[in-house]
Amino acid sequence: MNHLPNLFSPLKIKTMELSNRAVMPPMGTNLGNADGTVSEANLAYLKRRARGGPGLIITEISAVHPSGVAINSELGAYDDRFIPGLKKLADVAQTAGCKVALQLHHAGRESLYLLKEGKAIAPSPIRSLVFGLTPREITRDEIQEIIAAFGAAALRAREAGFDAVEVHGAHGYLLTQFLSILCNQREDEYSGNLSNRSRFMVEVLQEVRRRVGRDFPVSLRLSVEECIKEGYSVEDMQSILPNLVKAGADLIHASLGTHGSPGGITSAPGEYEPGFNAWRAKKVKEVVDVPVIAVGRFSDPVLADEVISRGEADLVAFGRQFLADPDFLIKMREGRPQEIRKCIACNQGCIERLILGEGKIRCAINPETGQETVYPQGPAAVLRKVWIVGAGPAGLTAAYEAARLGHEVTLFEKEEKSGGQLRFACQPPFKTSYGEWGNWLTFQVKKMGVTIHTNKAVTDGLIEGGNPEAVILAMGGEKIIPEIEGIGLPLVCDAWQILSGEVVPQANAVVVGGGLIGMETADFLSQKGTQVTLVETLKRSPVLKITSHGYMLHTRLRDKNCKLLFNTVVKRIAESSVTILSGGEEQTLSPVDQVVIAVGLKPRDDWQHILQTKGIRCIIIGDARQPRRIIEATEEGAQAAWSL
Ligand SMILES: Cc1cc2nc3c(=O)[nH]c(=O)nc-3n(C[C@H](O)[C@H](O)[C@H](O)COP(=O)(O)OP(=O)(O)OC[C@H]3O[C@@H](n4cnc5c(N)ncnc54)[C@H](O)[C@@H]3O)c2cc1C
Ligand SMILES: Cc1cc2nc3c(=O)[nH]c(=O)nc-3n(C[C@H](O)[C@H](O)[C@H](O)COP(=O)(O)O)c2cc1C
């Protein structure tokens, strides 16, 4: 048993008695029904997390007014018709022993769907940094209407049985837009100095308090710093915080940044240390005497316990960690911390999937997330003898899921170690968590009784002799070797040889290929002191700056003076130079003492056909099917196991 005396201690906030100080912060899921009502998927998702035992769950953004809906399926709190669904949502959390708060939200200008329809409103008609479209200015009458709507929605939450509400004053939504000089250039009493710009937030809190009564807890979520050039600072926020508490906030949830802040800092990528934002919670505590929640890359309950013990915060929120492993608090309490599946902060299945409009919430490393209603509980109706070829993310996930459902699983890996591409993906700066996740998966798979044969390449004959009932092919993609004059010269190697340490970085390298592998290899080399020129035939890198890791990667390469040449083709490699073709002109890069090929992978086409002719059911998954990302590999691994 591991008690963690600070994290696992109770706390009373007004009428609400929390059994511990671990908070699940609000996370939009896109699981709601199209009309904004609570769906079965919402309930199943929340129930799964409530079972994990946080003291407080703050549910996802819920719109207080139709003019502030961020996405069509955002949960609604702007009409009484939403109350029955919200009641069910509160019930699932409370039945599991958690307290639950509803997050009250108005998107303001940060609603692509309303922006496109010309209906988004904001303090001033200033272009959204996230979506690049301009809202219209909210009228003074509408301001009063929205303030009243926050109060009415808070009352609905109370009627639905919630233990508290949280006013969403963070992340660049309407309340932050009023607070920010960058978005608020009105000419009335809601703009001008900071005190005036906070008036809207103050009036919202006063109205919420008026409607819910004195004893009902009200949390205020704030971006304690705007984290944007010329945006408001921590000190600015400190100057208005006492007034916000006076207006009705019983709890401050100390988040940071906006969705327009560079590098996706609100759900920070791996470049940020676990708990990196706790100092801002401490700054809040310096000026208010209500409890404060720290948030930002907490995965480890021990760190959370320390933050509370140091007096930096009273509670700690674990966001993406609840997506990666809803049972992590239980595992900690039971003295099994090594079993916690730690979030790798990749953002693929969660925040970036939602922002890029790719679908409902998922988690790249936990295939159950967002699929709770269809996740098979097992054991499977028919138990099968299954062989899995390849122990990368796809094969390991398939093995984990198949073993969990009771199948007899044998996993073959041709290399000495499992992990597949993760063994290389964890080498560039800030990516160690990818390797840790690979080790976690391998450990779990072994613990579940899967037989793993490493150093064993599966061949056709082996499969025939073993007589499996099904074979899952997860051998990864095949490296592409481009046809370039001089490709066979000794100065040429590939990205995998560099990342594995097989080939030592030299002083001047040309990386051929500007996809993720090329960019990360350039990052790795730059970190070792190599002067890198990266050559890519496409007009721009497929690594998008809109993703948080992509932004950080581009920024790092720029800061390290790495030369990125797009729209450029490598024509020829010589002993100490590379000839490129750019804009119709040939140029010679020299001196060059290393050429690193990173032009990607292609699908495997050598297996499925053979197995089919032998009558063994085979499923091809992950990069072997089509080189993509981890999320596709794990998704297909899980689906393959579920379909056996
Ligand atoms: C440097 C680098 C950085 C990356 N960064 C990211 C990232 O940040 N985010 C992201 O989403 N993706 C990233 N990727 C891509 C990601 O790692 C892959 O998409 C993912 O690993 C694919 O998983 P997989 O299991 O399908 O294949 P792989 O990971 O390639 O695993 C296949 C396994 O099969 C084994 N194998 C092959 N043939 C046989 C055989 N005949 N018998 C037995 N075993 C066999 C291989 O040895 C290997 O271990 C990165 C890749 C690299 C190289
Ligand atoms: C998928 C996803 C959806 C989110 N939706 C919300 C939301 O509805 N309201 C909110 O205030 N914050 C939202 N956030 C931010 C989280 O509450 C949290 O502050 C952030 O992820 C940082 O915490 P973490 O590092 O522990 O994940 C969301 C984050 C993610 C990953």
Side-chain angles (χ1 to χ4, degrees):
M1 289 287 278
N2 196 331
H3 287 297
L4 298 184
N6 301 288
L7 185 67
F8 293 144
S9 71
L11 182 71
K12 190 165 181 197
I13 304 168
K14 290 265 171 84
T15 51
M16 181 169 68
E17 292 185 33
L18 306 179
S19 63
N20 65 67
R21 289 146 183 256
V23 177
M24 178 172 139
M27 283 181 284
T29 58
N30 217 354
L31 294 173
N33 293 321
D35 63 357
T37 52
V38 170
S39 69
E40 287 304 314
N42 281 127
L43 296 175
Y45 161 88
L46 202 73
K47 187 175 176 182
R48 180 69 187 88
R49 277 146 193 96
R51 235 171 65 193
L56 174 65
I57 291 181
I58 307 169
T59 58
E60 62 192 274
I61 46 167
S62 301
V64 298
H65 194 273
S67 65
V69 175
I71 46 168
N72 305 39
S73 60
E74 176 174 340
L75 297 186
Y78 54 83
D79 191 285
D80 286 353
R81 75 185 157 91
F82 295 113
I83 293 178
L86 293 175
K87 187 166 172 31
K88 287 187 195 162
L89 203 61
D91 274 353
V92 293
Q94 288 161 343
T95 304
C98 307
K99 298 296 177 193
V100 59
L102 184 79
Q103 191 182 49
L104 306 175
H105 173 246
H106 191 294
R109 72 180 191 186
E110 302 305 352
S111 166
L112 180 59
Y113 128 83
L114 289 173
L115 280 166
K116 277 185 178 164
E117 292 187 359
K119 289 184 184 159
I121 49 174
S124 304
I126 296 172
R127 200 169 57 90
S128 155
L129 289 179
V130 184
F131 301 118
L133 296 170
T134 305
R136 78 168 167 80
E137 183 169 303
I138 184 173
T139 66
R140 289 166 60 81
D141 283 351
E142 283 170 330
I143 289 179
Q144 295 313 314
E145 193 180 326
I146 305 295
I147 290 170
F150 266 97
L155 191 58
R156 277 182 205 108
R158 205 185 74 176
E159 283 170 15
F162 279 83
D163 300 288
V165 288
E166 178 168 276
V167 171
H168 197 342
H171 302 168
Y173 292 116
L174 187 63
L175 273 72
T176 330
Q177 289 159 31
F178 269 93
L179 218 50
S180 168
I181 190 88
L182 303 171
C183 316
N184 180 355
Q185 287 169 15
R186 302 173 65 83
E187 288 181 350
D188 58 13
E189 70 273 30
Y190 291 97
S191 72
N193 62 29
L194 187 60
S195 166
N196 278 352
R197 297 200 309 271
S198 66
R199 186 183 303 275
F200 181 66
M201 195 177 264
V202 166
E203 291 183 4
V204 164
L205 286 167
Q206 286 169 339
E207 177 65 3
V208 166
R209 173 60 65 215
R210 191 181 74 76
R211 297 300 298 270
V212 296
R214 258 209 348 239
D215 289 338
F216 193 74
V218 176
S219 167
L220 173 63
R221 191 162 221 212
L222 287 172
S223 291
V224 179
E225 185 177 351
E226 205 175 343
C227 299
I228 207 163
K229 207 170 157 204
E230 292 170 10
Y232 65 78
S233 66
V234 176
E235 290 70 29
D236 288 337
M237 192 50 87
Q238 279 185 315
S239 72
I240 60 166
L241 266 158
N243 211 24
L244 297 172
V245 169
K246 206 166 123 214
D250 302 309
L251 174 65
I252 302 292
H253 195 164
S255 189
L256 79 165
T258 75
H259 293 306
S261 307
I265 199 167
T266 59
S267 296
E271 276 79 357
Y272 291 86
E273 287 288 302
F276 74 99
N277 183 41
W279 70 272
R280 292 187 181 84
K282 189 165 173 241
K283 287 284 181 188
V284 174
K285 277 187 75 65
E286 281 171 14
V287 294
V288 300
D289 54 9
V290 294
V292 176
I293 308 176
V295 64
R297 287 222 66 215
F298 281 101
S299 295
D300 183 358
V302 175
L303 175 62
D305 190 76
E306 284 166 13
V307 162
I308 299 172
S309 84
R310 288 198 296 263
E312 289 168 19
D314 303 283
L315 305 101
V316 170
F318 300 83
R320 288 164 291 172
Q321 182 54 39
F322 265 107
L323 306 178
D325 185 351
D327 296 328
F328 74 100
L329 291 171
I330 298 173
K331 291 174 181 171
M332 193 72 216
R333 282 181 193 275
E334 293 179 352
R336 299 183 284 129
Q338 74 285 1
E339 291 191 27
I340 295 175
R341 171 166 33 195
K342 288 202 175 154
C343 168
I344 59 172
C346 69
N347 286 346
Q348 259 174 30
C350 55
I351 193 73
E352 284 169 8
R353 186 174 166 98
L354 298 193
I355 290 181
L356 298 173
E358 290 173 347
K360 299 178 192 303
I361 196 162
R362 289 289 169 81
C363 173
I365 62 169
N366 178 7
E368 183 181 5
T369 298
Q371 308 204 78
E372 291 77 9
T373 52
V374 294
Y375 190 67
Q377 296 303 324
V382 182
L383 299 182
R384 302 200 185 278
K385 179 177 174 184
V386 190
W387 277 19
I388 299 175
V389 186
L396 285 167
T397 303
Y400 179 92
E401 288 295 316
R404 189 181 63 77
L405 296 177
H407 298 294
E408 184 194 323
V409 183
T410 308
L411 178 59
F412 295 89
E413 169 53 54
K414 77 173 163 58
E415 302 295 332
E416 191 186 342
K417 286 195 174 142
S418 62
Q421 303 284 317
L422 294 177
R423 294 186 296 118
F424 308 94
C426 70
Q427 297 301 330
F430 306 107
K431 301 264 319 263
T432 46
S433 61
Y434 286 67
E436 286 160 14
W437 167 59
N439 294 340
W440 178 90
L441 249 181
T442 304
F443 171 76
Q444 291 298 322
V445 161
K446 282 185 186 156
K447 203 173 139 227
M448 289 167 120
V450 171
T451 309
I452 306 189
H453 298 289
T454 48
N455 282 321
K456 189 90 183 162
V458 171
T459 56
D460 211 21
L462 193 66
I463 292 183
E464 211 167 339
N467 210 21
E469 290 169 84
V471 178
I472 297 176
L473 301 171
M475 309 90 71
E478 210 176 296
K479 284 181 206 169
I480 299 173
I481 302 166
E483 282 180 23
I484 301 173
E485 188 185 328
I487 191 100
L489 288 170
L491 80 165
V492 181
C493 63
D494 69 32
W496 293 266
Q497 288 174 300
I498 290 285
L499 294 170
S500 66
E502 185 191 327
V503 171
V504 177
Q506 301 296 312
N508 295 291
V510 171
V511 173
V512 185
L516 186 63
I517 297 174
M519 292 277 282
E520 291 207 336
T521 306
D523 196 18
F524 177 89
L525 286 166
S526 301
Q527 189 201 33
K528 305 272 178 209
T530 300
Q531 180 58 53
V532 180
T533 303
L534 182 144
V535 182
E536 164 61 51
T537 51
L538 296 174
K539 273 194 188 141
R540 54 183 74 94
S541 170
V543 180
L544 301 178
K545 284 188 196 164
I546 194 173
T547 66
S548 36
H549 178 58
Y551 174 85
M552 304 301 283
L553 192 50
H554 278 275
T555 307
R556 249 188 333 272
L557 292 180
R558 188 197 59 204
D559 292 348
K560 284 174 182 162
N561 291 325
C562 175
K563 240 188 258 162
L564 304 184
L565 306 178
F566 295 108
N567 230 349
T568 303
V569 179
V570 174
K571 293 293 287 181
R572 207 170 311 114
I573 302 168
E575 293 291 346
S576 61
S577 68
V578 169
T579 304
I580 54 171
L581 181 66
S582 181
E585 281 188 22
E586 282 203 2
Q587 243 185 74
T588 299
L589 306 173
S590 168
V592 174
D593 36 25
Q594 192 155 54
V595 176
V596 184
I597 305 297
V599 294
L601 302 165
K602 57 183 179 184
R604 304 289 277 244
D605 56 6
D606 48 347
W607 278 85
Q608 196 165 16
H609 166 73
I610 300 168
L611 284 176
Q612 267 165 2
T613 54
K614 288 192 184 353
I616 299 172
R617 179 166 177 229
C618 91
I619 310 167
I620 187 152
I621 60 172
D623 276 10
R625 182 154 129 193
Q626 178 67 49
R628 284 153 298 165
R629 304 172 299 172
I630 287 166
I631 191 164
E632 285 84 16
T634 56
E635 168 78 11
E636 289 167 11
Q639 294 287 351
W642 301 347
S643 74
L644 287 168

